[in-house]
Amino acid sequence: MTHIVVDPVTRIEGHLRIEAEVDGGRVTDAWSSATMFRGIELILKGRDPRDAWAFTQRICGVCTTVHAIASIRAVENAIGAQPPQNARLLRNLIMAYQCVQDHVIHFYHLHALDWVDVVSALSADPAKTSALAESISDWPLSGTKYFAGVKGRLKTFVERGQLGPFANAYWGHPAYLLPPEANLMAVAHYLEALDWQRDVIRAHAILGGKNPHLQSFLVGGMATPIDLDRQASINDGSIEELRQLAAKAKDFVSKVYIPDLLAVASFYKAWAGVGGGVGNYLVYGDYPEDDGPNPPLFLPSGVLRNKDLSKVEKFDAAKITEHVKHSWYDYSSGDDKGIHPSQGETKPNYTGPTPPYEKLDGTAKYSWLKAPRYDGLPMEVGPLSRMLVAYASGHTRVKELVGDVLKKLGVGPEALFSTLGRVAARGIETLLLTEKIEGWIDQLAVNMHRRQLKIHDNSKWEPSTWPKEAMGVGFHEAPRGALGHWVHIVDGAIANYQCVVPSTWNAGPRDAQGRRGPYEEALLNTPVADPTKPIEILRTIHSFDPCIACGVHVVDARRNLLAKVRAV
Amino acid sequence: MTSTPSSSGNPGPGFRRPVRLLILGLGNVLCGDDGLGAVAIARLRARYETPEGMSILDGGTLGLSLLPYVEDAEKVILVDSIRAEAPPGSFVRLEGEEVGPAVAGRLSVHQVGVADLLDAARWRGRLPEELVLLGLVPETLEVGLTRSARVEAGLPGLVDRVVSEVSRLGFELHPRSHDAACDFDRSSDLARALGL
């Protein structure tokens, strides 16, 4: 038996440590340990709840909008504010763009290098690469000269030893299966995706005022004015630009991302049998399609147990608990029972070894993340959960898109419960949202022309209109999964604030009953060809798109070190 | 050329930089001294108007999402917390080739950070023509909205250094009139909420 330590896991946001036992070439047990951003509740205590989003927006650098949305929803829920239709549409657009950008960047910049061997691309034939690219898509950047240019640039950088973004990987590992031409095509698209994100950033700037941090969020609505006739607002010109940007986003996703995904997946079909995980899927649901309380959601909420697609359970927020038996915290009521986030406590109690250490004691506390559970069970959250719940709920377009992908890969729905399933679901969701965006823009345009310009419900703006004490929860389907903020307001000020973030659901440790978290469970039975180069572990962990940054305390991230891997 | 994204690396004949000088603050304002770059930016913006052709931004910890801003600028001044062999609060200035290695070891809450940003720009042949990193040595990165006393004491000097750097690069900042400083844009409300 070999004990593997991967610390830090590279190409993620934040700091994650994975330990695994490998026996007979397969993972037999695993532990996921992460540092934790603790203290947001201390920062927020006593503050004006209407300002909370500006703080939570900074919890994570990459998902700024998601913590802003969850926060304003929590406060609106507590004080009874109801954002008007235009605010709902603007928020849907902002959320969808964030999700689309995140998924594309994850695929090309964080995950692709687990499947694509950049160094192998150096031996690609540009003419054959062009033929390959033209066989899978009519994307215009596909000529021999173009790919020869990319290859030349790659060669220059490799020769100078400036691998830059492509440093830190197991180039030449036998687990890489793509032909050189597919590798070169992927490298080209990696670089194109960096250009593509400009359009998304531009769309966010139109919708949310200034970038890089959006400033148009407002409890009760939005602060982006909508007016046909005014320059400094969303007007006919901006609607037209949004339409063009949406079309370009869809173009790239349907002509580059999805074909690449299918091409890569077709070489790695074995990964449809790896990385299944806990088999329970939780979705809070998002993208309200109507106004008022309990609107229909474009991506429905629901719970699936035990990989059973025949029955979608209704989600009940009261069934969420967080455990700290294996987390570096203490609960005043003891560590053997989970507690609901609305009553959440964050009392750190670090009992781990002094870093740097060889090995964690998996029987004791071993992570800064808590272990969230739903009805006592570990739940996977994220794009796979969303697509499965939508699929099982009979969502027409999701069923079509999932069916298409399964057919093209020649696999059945059971293939979805896997590492490859997560990768595919992320792509399907991206396409789904790029299609949906246009409709929301159209609705916004219709409202504008009907002179329905309201963007903010200010009836609950003044704290004098609030109850003396109020509790609220804000749910959001962030790119990485179900996100919840819980706020407790007393006398107009924040008394308690708790966030349960997607990566806590997925990356959290064992609970009081000793049940593994989703990462830990997903690693079981993962093949590991070479314990000193566990690329297979990275594939499964990266398939969840870890973002521990909203978790991260502080990390000394020296990115030029290859992830430290030790086989003990 | 088509209107689709231009090629990798080679900036291409159509590529031009709309911003002449970008001043980009970095770091997380929720993590003590880590946020000193963002604080310096907020103070700079409160004191000076942003002239035409210049851009003054708080980039937070956005990593690769900042790439378009960096690539669009001819010259870039980064303002950040910098680990160095010097006491906390000490001023540090690096330029050109020195910047990359320094930010690679940057104390950061993000692994996908500034170094990746510069690498990506280099790969695409779009590194700014001139790159300067100004900052202070941090003392504490613990969660909290306040900076250490030494960093706080160094901040006014850092803002002045940014102003001199702007002049050295051939640009000029104009102080805001008193009235304008009170209400220049929505970011000032947020900066106030965040205690910047």
Side-chain angles (χ1 to χ4, degrees):
Chain A
M1 180 137 49
T2 314
H3 191 86
I4 299 180
V5 180
V6 186
D7 183 15
V9 175
T10 49
R11 289 198 304 279
I12 65 167
E13 298 291 344
H15 188 142
L16 176 71
R17 174 188 178 104
I18 295 289
E19 295 196 15
E21 301 280 351
V22 175
D23 200 3
R26 293 199 172 256
V27 174
T28 53
D29 208 348
W31 296 266
S32 161
S33 173
T35 43
M36 171 79 183
F37 182 99
R38 54 203 162 85
I40 188 69
E41 58 276 64
L42 299 177
I43 284 177
L44 289 177
K45 215 166 259 187
R47 288 185 188 276
D48 187 331
R50 295 170 298 183
D51 287 342
W53 69 268
F55 294 85
T56 60
Q57 188 181 37
R58 303 291 179 128
I59 294 176
C60 170
V62 275
C63 326
T64 57
T65 64
V66 313
H67 286 290
I69 292 269
S71 178
I72 49 176
R73 284 180 170 171
V75 176
E76 285 167 356
N77 179 244
I79 64 174
Q82 181 59 58
Q85 188 177 94
N86 289 327
R88 168 173 65 82
L89 294 169
L90 287 168
R91 288 180 189 180
N92 280 356
L93 286 167
I94 287 170
M95 293 185 298
Y97 271 119
Q98 178 79 54
C99 197
V100 167
Q101 181 189 16
D102 256 44
H103 285 356
V104 172
I105 293 293
H106 175 261
F107 180 77
Y108 285 104
H109 302 107
L110 302 177
H111 201 19
L113 304 184
D114 296 338
W115 313 102
V116 172
D117 186 340
V118 170
V119 174
S120 142
L122 289 174
S123 48
D125 173 346
K128 282 189 195 161
T129 309
S130 169
L132 168 69
E134 286 171 3
S135 74
I136 62 169
S137 171
D138 58 359
W139 184 246
L141 286 175
S142 63
T144 302
K145 212 175 131 197
Y146 170 64
F147 287 115
V150 175
K151 183 178 162 181
R153 177 155 289 263
L154 184 63
K155 192 158 171 280
T156 312
F157 280 95
V158 170
E159 280 169 358
R160 285 193 208 146
Q162 290 179 323
L163 269 169
F166 303 134
N168 297 351
Y170 301 119
W171 306 134
H173 195 288
Y176 283 116
L177 302 178
L178 297 182
E181 286 73 24
N183 286 319
L184 179 58
M185 182 178 74
V187 170
H189 293 164
Y190 176 108
L191 295 165
E192 283 177 42
L194 290 170
D195 252 330
W196 168 86
Q197 70 164 355
R198 278 172 182 268
D199 293 341
V200 177
I201 290 168
R202 173 69 195 141
H204 261 174
I206 296 171
L207 295 161
K210 288 254 169 59
N211 242 333
H213 298 95
L214 269 61
Q215 297 175 357
S216 63
F217 295 108
L218 198 56
V219 167
M222 293 294 286
T224 324
I226 298 170
D227 196 332
L228 211 52
D229 311 317
R230 274 176 54 198
Q231 271 299 315
S233 59
I234 293 194
N235 53 32
D236 263 343
S238 23
I239 291 284
E240 184 48 37
E241 192 179 355
L242 282 172
R243 283 203 178 107
Q244 286 171 13
L245 293 169
K248 281 169 82 178
K250 193 169 80 176
D251 223 30
F252 185 82
V253 170
S254 60
K255 293 182 179 173
V256 182
Y257 177 15
I258 298 294
D260 282 356
L261 176 97
L262 291 169
V264 170
S266 67
F267 284 91
Y268 289 104
K269 278 196 232 173
W271 285 82
V274 179
V278 294
N280 306 316
Y281 302 92
L282 169 68
V283 181
Y284 296 157
D286 214 327
Y287 304 104
E289 292 277 49
D290 204 350
D291 307 291
N294 305 315
L297 301 170
F298 176 59
L299 291 179
S301 77
V303 178
L304 294 171
R305 292 188 200 226
N306 213 6
K307 303 180 183 172
D308 180 1
L309 293 175
S310 71
K311 186 164 171 275
V312 184
E313 265 175 64
K314 198 169 154 26
F315 160 65
D316 175 3
K319 292 184 178 172
I320 300 171
T321 52
E322 286 194 293
H323 289 242
V324 294
K325 180 80 178 176
H326 292 282
S327 313
W328 286 309
Y329 302 93
D330 277 335
Y331 278 165
S332 49
S333 54
D335 293 353
D336 291 330
K337 248 181 74 190
I339 57 179
H340 192 265
S342 64
Q343 313 296 324
E345 296 175 15
T346 309
K347 274 189 304 183
N349 173 25
Y350 184 73
T351 55
T354 310
Y357 45 81
E358 286 287 308
K359 195 178 164 184
L360 285 163
D361 178 1
T363 64
K365 290 177 183 286
Y366 64 88
S367 179
W368 277 113
L369 297 184
K370 295 176 183 174
R373 295 294 180 261
Y374 180 82
D375 203 14
L377 295 173
M379 291 277 155
E380 176 171 342
V381 301
L384 176 59
S385 302
R386 288 193 287 259
M387 292 305 99
L388 288 175
V389 165
Y391 185 88
S393 305
H395 190 297
T396 315
R397 188 59 183 145
V398 169
K399 289 193 84 165
E400 283 170 10
L401 291 173
V402 170
D404 274 359
V405 166
L406 294 177
K407 198 171 144 203
K408 281 182 184 139
L409 293 175
V411 294
E414 70 287 347
L416 292 166
F417 308 114
S418 68
T419 296
L420 196 61
R422 271 176 217 110
V423 180
R426 191 169 289 112
I428 292 167
E429 179 172 77
T430 310
L431 185 55
L432 182 77
L433 288 172
T434 52
E435 292 174 352
K436 187 69 186 168
I437 280 171
E438 292 167 336
W440 288 323
I441 297 171
D442 290 345
Q443 282 181 42
L444 206 54
V446 167
N447 289 354
M448 193 169 73
H449 282 267
R450 287 184 184 155
R451 306 278 165 180
Q452 291 170 7
L453 306 179
K454 195 174 176 193
I455 50 163
H456 185 232
D457 163 25
N458 54 12
S459 65
K460 304 280 185 191
W461 180 250
E462 289 306 322
S464 57
T465 64
W466 305 349
K468 186 172 164 44
E469 187 171 352
M471 306 270 273
V473 57
F475 291 124
H476 171 38
E477 283 297 330
R480 291 162 176 94
L483 169 66
H485 283 202
W486 280 261
V487 65
H488 183 192
I489 301 169
V490 177
D491 292 331
I494 293 172
N496 194 11
Y497 203 101
Q498 291 279 326
C499 312
V500 181
V501 306
S503 293
T504 313
W505 280 103
N506 287 338
R510 284 155 172 78
D511 57 30
Q513 279 68 45
R515 271 184 289 249
R516 293 181 194 89
Y519 283 10
E520 297 173 336
E521 194 72 24
L523 285 174
L524 298 185
N525 291 317
T526 296
V528 177
D530 177 353
T532 64
K533 293 175 181 167
I535 186 173
E536 300 91 344
I537 287 179
L538 291 181
R539 283 179 180 169
T540 291
I541 295 298
H542 281 156
S543 74
F544 285 92
D545 190 5
C547 183
I548 321 290
C550 26
V552 169
H553 183 42
V554 157
V555 177
D556 180 353
R558 298 159 183 263
R559 98 198 143 76
N560 280 328
L561 299 176
L562 193 62
K564 270 181 264 161
V565 171
R566 287 198 307 274
V568 184
Chain B
M1 292 292 288
T2 62
S3 63
T4 44
S6 70
S7 71
S8 66
N10 185 347
F15 182 70
R16 45 177 290 278
R17 304 183 193 261
V19 174
R20 297 190 56 214
L21 174 65
L22 165 69
I23 308 173
L24 183 64
L26 298 166
N28 192 338
V29 293
L30 303 182
C31 293
D33 293 342
D34 193 59
L36 68 90
V39 179
I41 290 297
R43 294 190 184 175
L44 192 68
R45 288 168 59 105
R47 262 170 60 186
Y48 298 96
E49 307 199 25
T50 306
E52 194 70 27
M54 201 188 292
S55 182
I56 306 178
L57 294 177
D58 164 9
T61 52
L62 283 165
L64 273 181
S65 295
L66 297 171
L67 187 63
Y69 299 96
V70 169
E71 290 186 346
D72 278 352
E74 287 171 17
K75 300 176 180 183
V76 175
I77 301 174
L78 299 174
V79 188
D80 200 356
S81 58
I82 306 167
R83 193 174 45 180
E85 295 298 323
S90 306
F91 173 75
V92 179
R93 180 184 182 281
L94 300 169
E95 67 179 319
E97 293 296 309
E98 305 166 333
V99 176
V103 292
R106 177 177 183 274
L107 289 165
S108 165
V109 292
H110 281 69
Q111 290 202 29
V112 181
V114 185
D116 302 80
L117 179 65
L118 297 179
D119 279 342
R122 180 180 295 114
W123 263 80
R124 288 150 49 79
R126 292 181 185 177
L127 265 183
E129 293 152 18
E130 207 153 344
L131 180 65
V132 181
L133 174 64
L134 304 178
L136 302 175
V137 178
E139 179 167 3
T140 173
L141 304 168
E142 292 293 317
V143 170
L145 282 174
T146 51
R147 271 76 50 195
S148 66
R150 285 158 147 186
V151 161
E152 203 53 59
L155 268 165
L158 176 62
V159 174
D160 291 341
R161 298 278 199 151
V162 175
V163 176
S164 334
E165 195 69 41
V166 170
S167 314
R168 191 191 67 82
L169 293 170
F171 298 86
E172 203 181 343
L173 287 165
H174 297 284
R176 288 181 185 279
S177 67
H178 180 70
D179 292 348
C182 298
D183 181 31
F184 56 96
D185 65 23
R186 191 167 153 74
S187 70
S188 65
D189 296 344
L190 299 176
R192 216 171 289 136
L194 289 166
L196 306 184

